PDB file of all heavy atoms in Angstrom:
ATOM      1  N   GLY M   1      49.897  94.626 101.808  1.00 90.00           N
ATOM      2  CA  GLY M   1      50.980  93.827 102.407  1.00 90.00           C
ATOM      3  C   GLY M   1      50.507  93.060 103.642  1.00 90.00           C
ATOM      4  O   GLY M   1      49.530  93.401 104.289  1.00 90.00           O
ATOM      5  N   PHE M   2      51.297  92.012 103.930  1.00 91.00           N
ATOM      6  CA  PHE M   2      51.080  91.193 105.119  1.00 91.00           C
ATOM      7  C   PHE M   2      52.420  90.916 105.701  1.00 91.00           C
ATOM      8  O   PHE M   2      53.415  90.738 104.968  1.00 91.00           O
ATOM      9  CB  PHE M   2      50.409  89.852 104.737  1.00 91.00           C
ATOM     10  CG  PHE M   2      49.159  90.042 103.904  1.00 91.00           C
ATOM     11  CD1 PHE M   2      49.174  89.988 102.541  1.00 91.00           C
ATOM     12  CD2 PHE M   2      47.956  90.306 104.569  1.00 91.00           C
ATOM     13  CE1 PHE M   2      48.052  90.160 101.803  1.00 91.00           C
ATOM     14  CE2 PHE M   2      46.793  90.480 103.819  1.00 91.00           C
ATOM     15  CZ  PHE M   2      46.854  90.417 102.414  1.00 91.00           C
ATOM     16  N   GLY M   3      52.495  90.896 107.016  1.00 90.00           N
ATOM     17  CA  GLY M   3      53.777  90.626 107.654  1.00 90.00           C
ATOM     18  C   GLY M   3      53.649  89.859 108.938  1.00 90.00           C
ATOM     19  O   GLY M   3      52.569  89.710 109.521  1.00 90.00           O
ATOM     20  N   ALA M   4      54.753  89.297 109.387  1.00 90.00           N
ATOM     21  CA  ALA M   4      54.817  88.589 110.633  1.00 90.00           C
ATOM     22  C   ALA M   4      56.140  88.850 111.339  1.00 90.00           C
ATOM     23  O   ALA M   4      57.116  89.181 110.642  1.00 90.00           O
ATOM     24  CB  ALA M   4      54.668  87.070 110.418  1.00 90.00           C
ATOM     25  N   GLY M   5      56.159  88.822 112.617  1.00 87.00           N
ATOM     26  CA  GLY M   5      57.396  89.077 113.336  1.00 87.00           C
ATOM     27  C   GLY M   5      57.234  88.823 114.814  1.00 87.00           C
ATOM     28  O   GLY M   5      56.410  88.024 115.251  1.00 87.00           O
ATOM     29  N   GLY M   6      57.956  89.592 115.596  1.00 84.00           N
ATOM     30  CA  GLY M   6      57.920  89.466 117.054  1.00 84.00           C
ATOM     31  C   GLY M   6      57.631  90.780 117.714  1.00 84.00           C
ATOM     32  O   GLY M   6      57.781  91.867 117.138  1.00 84.00           O
ATOM     33  N   SER M   7      57.131  90.687 118.925  1.00 79.00           N
ATOM     34  CA  SER M   7      56.792  91.877 119.715  1.00 79.00           C
ATOM     35  C   SER M   7      57.567  91.807 121.034  1.00 79.00           C
ATOM     36  O   SER M   7      57.597  90.784 121.712  1.00 79.00           O
ATOM     37  CB  SER M   7      55.267  91.855 120.002  1.00 79.00           C
ATOM     38  OG  SER M   7      54.943  92.822 120.927  1.00 79.00           O
ATOM     39  N   PHE M   8      58.179  92.915 121.392  1.00 77.00           N
ATOM     40  CA  PHE M   8      58.951  92.987 122.612  1.00 77.00           C
ATOM     41  C   PHE M   8      58.543  94.226 123.370  1.00 77.00           C
ATOM     42  O   PHE M   8      58.530  95.298 122.818  1.00 77.00           O
ATOM     43  CB  PHE M   8      60.480  93.055 122.294  1.00 77.00           C
ATOM     44  CG  PHE M   8      60.925  91.976 121.389  1.00 77.00           C
ATOM     45  CD1 PHE M   8      60.971  92.129 120.020  1.00 77.00           C
ATOM     46  CD2 PHE M   8      61.268  90.702 121.923  1.00 77.00           C
ATOM     47  CE1 PHE M   8      61.349  91.094 119.165  1.00 77.00           C
ATOM     48  CE2 PHE M   8      61.636  89.696 121.081  1.00 77.00           C
ATOM     49  CZ  PHE M   8      61.675  89.893 119.701  1.00 77.00           C
ATOM     50  N   MET M   9      58.201  94.063 124.637  1.00 76.00           N
ATOM     51  CA  MET M   9      57.742  95.214 125.462  1.00 76.00           C
ATOM     52  C   MET M   9      58.708  95.382 126.658  1.00 76.00           C
ATOM     53  O   MET M   9      59.218  94.401 127.159  1.00 76.00           O
ATOM     54  CB  MET M   9      56.312  95.029 125.954  1.00 76.00           C
ATOM     55  CG  MET M   9      55.326  94.875 124.785  1.00 76.00           C
ATOM     56  SD  MET M   9      53.671  94.632 125.396  1.00 76.00           S
ATOM     57  CE  MET M   9      53.092  96.327 125.452  1.00 76.00           C
ATOM     58  N   THR M  10      58.845  96.617 127.096  1.00 78.00           N
ATOM     59  CA  THR M  10      59.668  96.895 128.291  1.00 78.00           C
ATOM     60  C   THR M  10      58.882  96.568 129.549  1.00 78.00           C
ATOM     61  O   THR M  10      57.660  96.523 129.535  1.00 78.00           O
ATOM     62  CB  THR M  10      60.088  98.363 128.272  1.00 78.00           C
ATOM     63  OG1 THR M  10      58.918  99.193 128.291  1.00 78.00           O
ATOM     64  CG2 THR M  10      60.948  98.698 127.084  1.00 78.00           C
ATOM     65  N   SER M  11      59.599  96.400 130.626  1.00 81.00           N
ATOM     66  CA  SER M  11      59.002  96.111 131.915  1.00 81.00           C
ATOM     67  C   SER M  11      58.840  97.401 132.711  1.00 81.00           C
ATOM     68  O   SER M  11      59.595  98.357 132.528  1.00 81.00           O
ATOM     69  CB  SER M  11      59.847  95.134 132.733  1.00 81.00           C
ATOM     70  OG  SER M  11      59.934  93.890 132.057  1.00 81.00           O
ATOM     71  N   GLU M  12      57.851  97.432 133.612  1.00 82.00           N
ATOM     72  CA  GLU M  12      57.592  98.569 134.468  1.00 82.00           C
ATOM     73  C   GLU M  12      57.478  98.093 135.924  1.00 82.00           C
ATOM     74  O   GLU M  12      57.162  96.927 136.147  1.00 82.00           O
ATOM     75  CB  GLU M  12      56.283  99.268 134.071  1.00 82.00           C
ATOM     76  CG  GLU M  12      56.235  99.796 132.651  1.00 82.00           C
ATOM     77  CD  GLU M  12      57.159 100.981 132.461  1.00 82.00           C
ATOM     78  OE1 GLU M  12      57.394 101.777 133.413  1.00 82.00           O
ATOM     79  OE2 GLU M  12      57.660 101.169 131.331  1.00 82.00           O
ATOM     80  N   THR M  13      57.742  98.962 136.846  1.00 84.00           N
ATOM     81  CA  THR M  13      57.582  98.637 138.249  1.00 84.00           C
ATOM     82  C   THR M  13      56.206  99.064 138.744  1.00 84.00           C
ATOM     83  O   THR M  13      55.756 100.224 138.498  1.00 84.00           O
ATOM     84  CB  THR M  13      58.656  99.345 139.109  1.00 84.00           C
ATOM     85  OG1 THR M  13      59.939  98.888 138.629  1.00 84.00           O
ATOM     86  CG2 THR M  13      58.476  99.005 140.556  1.00 84.00           C
ATOM     87  N   VAL M  14      55.462  98.125 139.358  1.00 80.00           N
ATOM     88  CA  VAL M  14      54.158  98.413 139.978  1.00 80.00           C
ATOM     89  C   VAL M  14      54.410  98.589 141.454  1.00 80.00           C
ATOM     90  O   VAL M  14      54.991  97.702 142.090  1.00 80.00           O
ATOM     91  CB  VAL M  14      53.195  97.279 139.705  1.00 80.00           C
ATOM     92  CG1 VAL M  14      51.853  97.550 140.366  1.00 80.00           C
ATOM     93  CG2 VAL M  14      52.984  97.075 138.221  1.00 80.00           C
ATOM     94  N   SER M  15      53.981  99.703 142.044  1.00 82.00           N
ATOM     95  CA  SER M  15      54.195  99.955 143.482  1.00 82.00           C
ATOM     96  C   SER M  15      52.891 100.284 144.176  1.00 82.00           C
ATOM     97  O   SER M  15      52.013 100.926 143.630  1.00 82.00           O
ATOM     98  CB  SER M  15      55.134 101.130 143.663  1.00 82.00           C
ATOM     99  OG  SER M  15      56.363 100.872 143.052  1.00 82.00           O
ATOM    100  N   ASN M  16      52.795  99.780 145.406  1.00 82.00           N
ATOM    101  CA  ASN M  16      51.709 100.221 146.308  1.00 82.00           C
ATOM    102  C   ASN M  16      52.236 100.061 147.742  1.00 82.00           C
ATOM    103  O   ASN M  16      53.387  99.578 147.917  1.00 82.00           O
ATOM    104  CB  ASN M  16      50.455  99.438 146.065  1.00 82.00           C
ATOM    105  CG  ASN M  16      50.487  97.975 146.434  1.00 82.00           C
ATOM    106  OD1 ASN M  16      51.293  97.583 147.270  1.00 82.00           O
ATOM    107  ND2 ASN M  16      49.606  97.167 145.836  1.00 82.00           N
ATOM    108  N   PRO M  17      51.490 100.421 148.763  1.00 85.00           N
ATOM    109  CA  PRO M  17      52.030 100.348 150.166  1.00 85.00           C
ATOM    110  C   PRO M  17      52.469  98.943 150.577  1.00 85.00           C
ATOM    111  O   PRO M  17      53.343  98.794 151.443  1.00 85.00           O
ATOM    112  CB  PRO M  17      50.870 100.822 151.026  1.00 85.00           C
ATOM    113  CG  PRO M  17      50.068 101.696 150.121  1.00 85.00           C
ATOM    114  CD  PRO M  17      50.212 101.106 148.746  1.00 85.00           C
ATOM    115  N   VAL M  18      51.934  97.911 149.957  1.00 82.00           N
ATOM    116  CA  VAL M  18      52.289  96.522 150.310  1.00 82.00           C
ATOM    117  C   VAL M  18      53.657  96.128 149.770  1.00 82.00           C
ATOM    118  O   VAL M  18      54.370  95.397 150.402  1.00 82.00           O
ATOM    119  CB  VAL M  18      51.203  95.540 149.757  1.00 82.00           C
ATOM    120  CG1 VAL M  18      51.602  94.076 150.003  1.00 82.00           C
ATOM    121  CG2 VAL M  18      49.873  95.845 150.417  1.00 82.00           C
ATOM    122  N   GLY M  19      54.015  96.642 148.579  1.00 84.00           N
ATOM    123  CA  GLY M  19      55.303  96.277 147.979  1.00 84.00           C
ATOM    124  C   GLY M  19      55.381  96.666 146.513  1.00 84.00           C
ATOM    125  O   GLY M  19      54.578  97.407 145.972  1.00 84.00           O
ATOM    126  N   ASN M  20      56.454  96.143 145.911  1.00 85.00           N
ATOM    127  CA  ASN M  20      56.734  96.421 144.490  1.00 85.00           C
ATOM    128  C   ASN M  20      56.823  95.117 143.710  1.00 85.00           C
ATOM    129  O   ASN M  20      57.191  94.098 144.245  1.00 85.00           O
ATOM    130  CB  ASN M  20      58.084  97.139 144.307  1.00 85.00           C
ATOM    131  CG  ASN M  20      58.126  98.481 145.060  1.00 85.00           C
ATOM    132  OD1 ASN M  20      57.126  99.172 145.168  1.00 85.00           O
ATOM    133  ND2 ASN M  20      59.318  98.831 145.531  1.00 85.00           N
ATOM    134  N   ALA M  21      56.461  95.237 142.397  1.00 84.00           N
ATOM    135  CA  ALA M  21      56.597  94.095 141.523  1.00 84.00           C
ATOM    136  C   ALA M  21      56.978  94.617 140.145  1.00 84.00           C
ATOM    137  O   ALA M  21      56.701  95.754 139.791  1.00 84.00           O
ATOM    138  CB  ALA M  21      55.286  93.279 141.465  1.00 84.00           C
ATOM    139  N   THR M  22      57.610  93.775 139.356  1.00 82.00           N
ATOM    140  CA  THR M  22      57.940  94.097 137.983  1.00 82.00           C
ATOM    141  C   THR M  22      56.856  93.500 137.081  1.00 82.00           C
ATOM    142  O   THR M  22      56.619  92.319 137.113  1.00 82.00           O
ATOM    143  CB  THR M  22      59.321  93.543 137.592  1.00 82.00           C
ATOM    144  OG1 THR M  22      60.298  94.082 138.515  1.00 82.00           O
ATOM    145  CG2 THR M  22      59.701  93.922 136.177  1.00 82.00           C
ATOM    146  N   ALA M  23      56.259  94.367 136.254  1.00 82.00           N
ATOM    147  CA  ALA M  23      55.207  93.903 135.339  1.00 82.00           C
ATOM    148  C   ALA M  23      55.697  94.085 133.928  1.00 82.00           C
ATOM    149  O   ALA M  23      56.406  95.014 133.602  1.00 82.00           O
ATOM    150  CB  ALA M  23      53.928  94.751 135.540  1.00 82.00           C
ATOM    151  N   GLY M  24      55.338  93.115 133.047  1.00 81.00           N
ATOM    152  CA  GLY M  24      55.771  93.178 131.664  1.00 81.00           C
ATOM    153  C   GLY M  24      55.001  92.184 130.827  1.00 81.00           C
ATOM    154  O   GLY M  24      53.973  91.648 131.240  1.00 81.00           O
TER     155      GLY M  24
END
């Protein structure tokens, strides 16, 4: 078989002493 579609990933929070960011 062969298929095609979409990919959806959740976001995560990246933290360090400088600050936070949302990665996805």
Side-chain angles (χ1 to χ4, degrees):
F2 307 96
S7 170
F8 307 93
M9 298 180 92
T10 59
S11 297
E12 300 290 330
T13 300
V14 177
S15 300
N16 69 23
V18 175
N20 300 328
T22 301

